Amino acid sequence: MATSTSLVTRVTGVLSIAAVIAASATLSACTPRPDGPAPAAEQFFADLTKGDTAAAAQLSDRPADAQAALNEAWAGLQATHLDAQILGSRYTEDTGSVNYRFTWQLPKKRTWTYDGVLQMIRDEGAWHVRWTAAGLHPKLGEHQRFLLRADPPRRASVNELGGTDVLAPGNLYRYQLDAAKAGADLMSTSRVVVDQLRQFDNTLDPQRLAEQASSSSSPLDLVTLRPADHDKVGQVLDNLPGVVVTPQADLLPTDDHFAPAIISEVKKAVINELDGESGWRVVSVNQNGAEVDVLHEVAQPPRRPSPSPWIARCRTPPSTPSTPRVARRCWW
């Protein structure tokens, strides 16, 4: 015969344990101790919320595996606190389950709440956690772990008062040469690199470049290119052995030739004001660190373009035969 109970018990460390003990002492004279799995699960959650993974793991049928997984959960989430709430339990003879709700407190005031089921087993009259990775989260598989990932915040663009973008989010492309990754192809890669990058730096020499890369303990910096320049050489260089290309988020002028000195000053003045809020995700990863599933995701809120108080635009009246059009902008 299956027995089920519906109860809500919040487990938050020492205070909750003291409350449970006090309540038990008060009711012990008139209420028999329940023989279901809930009390054992409550103790497991109490230890876990305190961060005592060793004690929690000892309440399972696979203590070593359980402790390793619990430690990985705290570390992978970078969690600062856990609240566990028992929602109900059921059992039939020597097997049972406990429904719970976890609320993890994560860095930067983030929270992650979800419901799960902890499988229980009774051995020689005592209830234990039947350990599986799914006990931590319904979608977590064996040999998988949690990982908290943050998405870089979106950056707003900078507008003229007339509404035209003068600075917009984009990527610069940093090129490096890694001799170890190039291996036997180092010399041939160096020749192609020099041929392609000569338009940006005519001092490059293949032999010297290969020697410098070989003697460097880290990838050798070559050049950082704007998007338009990257487009000119990317198809040839990006897949060469030993060439490392790293996109770097930046705020880029929409017109490289217009008032570069002033645009540079505007960028310095406003760049720290344009970053939005980061999005973030909790994912499951396998033993090799490869992402398996997205367990929770908070998207980045959109950012609107930001008018700069440094920029104004002077519109020129239409040209006439006596006054030809003069394209000009006023900046102050």
Side-chain angles (χ1 to χ4, degrees):
M1 176 178 176
T3 302
S4 65
T5 61
S6 178
L7 68 158
V8 176
T9 305
R10 187 176 299 277
V11 183
T12 52
V14 178
L15 293 179
S16 294
I17 297 171
V20 171
I21 294 173
S24 299
T26 302
L27 299 175
S28 60
C30 58
T31 304
R33 179 175 178 82
D35 59 357
E42 188 170 337
Q43 184 59 54
F44 174 82
F45 291 141
D47 291 335
L48 182 58
T49 58
K50 292 185 296 182
D52 191 347
T53 58
Q58 289 301 317
L59 299 173
S60 76
D61 60 347
R62 293 162 52 196
D65 292 339
Q67 184 174 3
L70 296 175
N71 286 339
E72 287 179 340
W74 279 94
L77 293 173
Q78 305 169 46
T80 58
H81 180 76
L82 170 64
D83 178 68
Q85 189 177 6
I86 294 178
L87 304 179
S89 66
R90 61 184 295 121
Y91 66 97
T92 301
E93 296 182 352
D94 292 334
T95 60
S97 61
V98 174
N99 295 77
Y100 66 82
R101 178 168 295 153
F102 276 179
T103 299
W104 293 93
Q105 303 293 330
L106 309 179
K108 298 185 178 180
K109 299 182 179 179
R110 299 163 176 154
T111 60
W112 180 32
T113 300
Y114 60 88
D115 293 351
V117 179
L118 194 66
Q119 300 299 325
M120 307 292 292
I121 186 170
R122 181 160 50 186
D123 182 29
E124 296 183 356
W127 285 99
H128 301 279
V129 174
R130 173 179 279 176
W131 182 255
T132 64
L136 270 176
H137 189 282
K139 292 185 177 181
L140 197 66
E142 290 300 312
H143 308 298
Q144 295 177 7
R145 56 188 173 86
F146 296 142
L147 189 63
L148 174 65
R149 285 183 170 163
D151 299 318
R154 290 193 181 101
R155 178 169 283 168
S157 57
V158 177
N159 289 351
E160 296 175 305
L161 294 182
T164 304
D165 287 349
V166 294
L167 288 165
N171 286 328
L172 297 174
Y173 296 86
R174 180 187 182 189
Y175 276 86
Q176 297 172 295
L177 181 58
D178 188 329
K181 290 183 178 179
D185 296 314
L186 178 59
M187 195 63 222
S188 60
T189 291
S190 297
R191 292 191 185 98
V192 178
V193 166
V194 169
D195 182 61
Q196 292 295 312
L197 297 185
R198 185 172 286 118
Q199 57 188 305
F200 311 113
D201 184 354
N202 59 12
T203 66
L204 292 174
D205 176 78
Q207 183 65 40
R208 186 168 65 251
L209 188 63
E211 292 172 356
Q212 290 174 333
S214 296
S215 61
S216 177
S217 59
S218 58
L220 180 68
D221 284 325
L222 299 173
V223 67
T224 299
L225 300 179
R226 293 179 177 275
D229 294 328
H230 170 259
D231 291 344
K232 297 176 184 177
V233 301
Q235 289 187 342
V236 177
L237 294 183
D238 289 6
N239 295 317
L240 285 178
V243 171
V244 180
V245 188
T246 307
Q248 298 178 322
D250 203 348
L251 195 61
L252 305 177
T254 56
D255 183 347
D256 290 337
H257 305 291
F258 183 76
I262 295 176
I263 294 297
S264 177
E265 290 302 312
V266 171
K267 176 179 176 179
K268 292 176 184 178
V270 302
I271 193 167
N272 292 329
E273 303 172 8
L274 301 179
D275 284 341
E277 297 180 18
S278 298
W280 58 279
R281 296 169 292 147
V282 176
V283 301
S284 57
V285 298
N286 62 22
Q287 291 171 300
N288 299 320
E291 186 173 310
V292 177
D293 197 2
V294 177
L295 305 178
H296 182 69
E297 185 170 19
V298 176
Q300 300 172 337
R303 288 298 304 263
R304 294 183 177 180
S306 173
S308 170
W310 290 62
I311 303 175
R313 182 174 182 179
C314 297
R315 299 188 180 275
T316 307
S319 60
T320 64
S322 58
T323 58
R325 180 185 300 274
V326 178
R328 65 188 180 93
R329 291 174 180 169
C330 300
W331 304 81
W332 61 81

